[in-house]
Short mmCIF file of all heavy atoms in Angstrom, two decimals:
data_model
loop_
_atom_site.label_atom_id
_atom_site.label_comp_id
_atom_site.label_asym_id
_atom_site.label_seq_id
_atom_site.Cartn_x
_atom_site.Cartn_y
_atom_site.Cartn_z
N GLY W 84 -11.58 -16.49 0.03
CA GLY W 84 -12.13 -15.14 0.03
C GLY W 84 -11.05 -14.10 -0.24
O GLY W 84 -9.86 -14.39 -0.27
N VAL W 85 -11.48 -12.87 -0.44
CA VAL W 85 -10.57 -11.78 -0.80
C VAL W 85 -10.04 -11.09 0.45
O VAL W 85 -10.77 -10.77 1.37
CB VAL W 85 -11.30 -10.76 -1.70
CG1 VAL W 85 -10.41 -9.56 -1.99
CG2 VAL W 85 -11.71 -11.42 -3.01
N ASP W 86 -8.73 -10.90 0.46
CA ASP W 86 -8.04 -10.12 1.49
C ASP W 86 -7.50 -8.85 0.82
O ASP W 86 -7.37 -8.80 -0.40
CB ASP W 86 -6.84 -10.90 2.05
CG ASP W 86 -7.25 -12.22 2.68
OD1 ASP W 86 -7.89 -12.19 3.72
OD2 ASP W 86 -6.91 -13.27 2.10
N ILE W 87 -7.16 -7.86 1.61
CA ILE W 87 -6.54 -6.65 1.09
C ILE W 87 -5.15 -6.56 1.70
O ILE W 87 -4.99 -6.44 2.91
CB ILE W 87 -7.35 -5.38 1.44
CG1 ILE W 87 -8.78 -5.47 0.94
CG2 ILE W 87 -6.63 -4.14 0.91
CD1 ILE W 87 -8.92 -5.54 -0.57
N GLN W 88 -4.13 -6.62 0.85
CA GLN W 88 -2.76 -6.42 1.30
C GLN W 88 -2.44 -4.94 1.17
O GLN W 88 -2.69 -4.34 0.12
CB GLN W 88 -1.78 -7.23 0.45
CG GLN W 88 -1.73 -8.68 0.80
CD GLN W 88 -0.67 -9.39 0.00
OE1 GLN W 88 -1.01 -10.08 -0.96
NE2 GLN W 88 0.58 -9.22 0.37
N GLU W 89 -1.91 -4.36 2.23
CA GLU W 89 -1.55 -2.94 2.23
C GLU W 89 -0.04 -2.80 2.30
O GLU W 89 0.62 -3.44 3.11
CB GLU W 89 -2.15 -2.21 3.43
CG GLU W 89 -3.63 -2.11 3.39
CD GLU W 89 -4.19 -1.31 4.56
OE1 GLU W 89 -3.51 -1.17 5.60
OE2 GLU W 89 -5.31 -0.84 4.41
N PHE W 90 0.48 -1.95 1.44
CA PHE W 90 1.90 -1.63 1.43
C PHE W 90 2.01 -0.13 1.69
O PHE W 90 1.53 0.68 0.91
CB PHE W 90 2.52 -1.97 0.07
CG PHE W 90 2.51 -3.44 -0.24
CD1 PHE W 90 1.39 -4.02 -0.81
CD2 PHE W 90 3.61 -4.23 0.04
CE1 PHE W 90 1.37 -5.38 -1.10
CE2 PHE W 90 3.59 -5.59 -0.24
CZ PHE W 90 2.47 -6.16 -0.81
N ILE W 91 2.63 0.24 2.83
CA ILE W 91 2.83 1.64 3.16
C ILE W 91 4.27 1.98 2.81
O ILE W 91 5.21 1.40 3.35
CB ILE W 91 2.54 1.91 4.65
CG1 ILE W 91 1.09 1.54 4.96
CG2 ILE W 91 2.82 3.38 4.99
CD1 ILE W 91 0.72 1.61 6.42
N LEU W 92 4.42 2.90 1.87
CA LEU W 92 5.72 3.24 1.30
C LEU W 92 6.03 4.72 1.51
O LEU W 92 5.13 5.53 1.76
CB LEU W 92 5.72 2.92 -0.19
CG LEU W 92 5.22 1.52 -0.58
CD1 LEU W 92 4.95 1.45 -2.07
CD2 LEU W 92 6.22 0.48 -0.19
N LYS W 93 7.31 5.06 1.36
CA LYS W 93 7.73 6.46 1.46
C LYS W 93 8.98 6.64 0.62
O LYS W 93 9.87 5.79 0.64
CB LYS W 93 7.99 6.82 2.92
CG LYS W 93 8.36 8.27 3.13
CD LYS W 93 8.31 8.67 4.59
CE LYS W 93 9.47 8.15 5.38
NZ LYS W 93 9.57 8.71 6.74
N SER W 94 9.05 7.76 -0.10
CA SER W 94 10.22 8.04 -0.91
C SER W 94 10.97 9.24 -0.36
O SER W 94 10.37 10.27 -0.04
CB SER W 94 9.82 8.32 -2.37
OG SER W 94 10.98 8.63 -3.12
N ALA W 95 12.28 9.12 -0.27
CA ALA W 95 13.13 10.20 0.22
C ALA W 95 13.57 11.10 -0.93
O ALA W 95 14.23 12.11 -0.69
CB ALA W 95 14.34 9.62 0.93
N GLU W 96 13.21 10.75 -2.16
CA GLU W 96 13.67 11.51 -3.32
C GLU W 96 12.51 11.84 -4.26
O GLU W 96 11.58 11.06 -4.42
CB GLU W 96 14.71 10.68 -4.09
CG GLU W 96 15.90 10.29 -3.27
CD GLU W 96 16.81 9.29 -3.98
OE1 GLU W 96 16.55 8.97 -5.16
OE2 GLU W 96 17.76 8.84 -3.35
N LYS W 97 12.62 13.00 -4.92
CA LYS W 97 11.65 13.38 -5.95
C LYS W 97 11.95 12.60 -7.21
O LYS W 97 13.08 12.16 -7.43
CB LYS W 97 11.75 14.88 -6.26
CG LYS W 97 11.23 15.77 -5.18
CD LYS W 97 11.27 17.22 -5.62
CE LYS W 97 10.72 18.12 -4.53
NZ LYS W 97 10.68 19.52 -4.96
N GLY W 98 10.94 12.45 -8.05
CA GLY W 98 11.16 11.79 -9.33
C GLY W 98 10.00 10.91 -9.73
O GLY W 98 8.97 10.84 -9.06
#
Side-chain angles (χ1 to χ4, degrees):
V85 175
D86 300 291
I87 303 296
Q88 282 184 257
E89 292 184 339
F90 295 85
I91 300 173
L92 310 166
K93 183 167 75 170
S94 178
E96 302 171 5
K97 288 184 179 184

